[in-house]
Amino acid sequence: GRRAKREEGAWRAAQRACLKRDAYVCQRCKAQWKSADVHHILPRGRGGTHELGNLVALCRICHSAVHDHSVPDWADWIK
């Protein structure tokens, strides 16, 4: 419904803001990509939000590695 569309619109706006802030540069490996993923630092399921401070641009390789837990906790390498 309308709420879902509003939520989707807010998420898209947050993604654009994050990618602009991070200049499409992966904040883990520092590679620049034409397309990057936006990662929630604190997952939504654990209370994280779409707020810019909870988002970070990652390349697809690093994003997958974070979700596979094959890289250290984000606090060890982010900014």
Side-chain angles (χ1 to χ4, degrees):
R2 285 185 184 178
R3 183 176 181 189
K5 285 184 181 183
R6 258 196 321 271
E7 172 96 9
E8 180 71 16
W11 170 234
R12 294 287 177 218
Q15 286 177 307
R16 285 191 301 272
C18 176
L19 294 171
K20 182 177 180 180
R21 178 198 65 200
D22 293 346
Y24 289 84
V25 172
C26 176
Q27 297 302 295
R28 180 171 180 270
C29 72
K30 304 303 182 193
Q32 186 167 23
W33 299 83
K34 291 180 182 176
S35 172
D37 292 341
V38 175
H39 174 72
H40 288 90
I41 296 166
L42 179 63
R44 302 246 311 145
R46 292 185 18 215
T49 68
H50 293 327
E51 297 293 320
L52 194 54
N54 189 47
L55 303 174
V56 62
L58 295 175
C59 70
R60 296 224 165 127
I61 294 166
C62 289
H63 197 196
S64 291
V66 168
H67 282 281
D68 292 343
H69 304 288
S70 58
V71 295
D73 184 51
W74 69 270
D76 294 337
W77 50 262
I78 201 163
K79 295 183 182 181

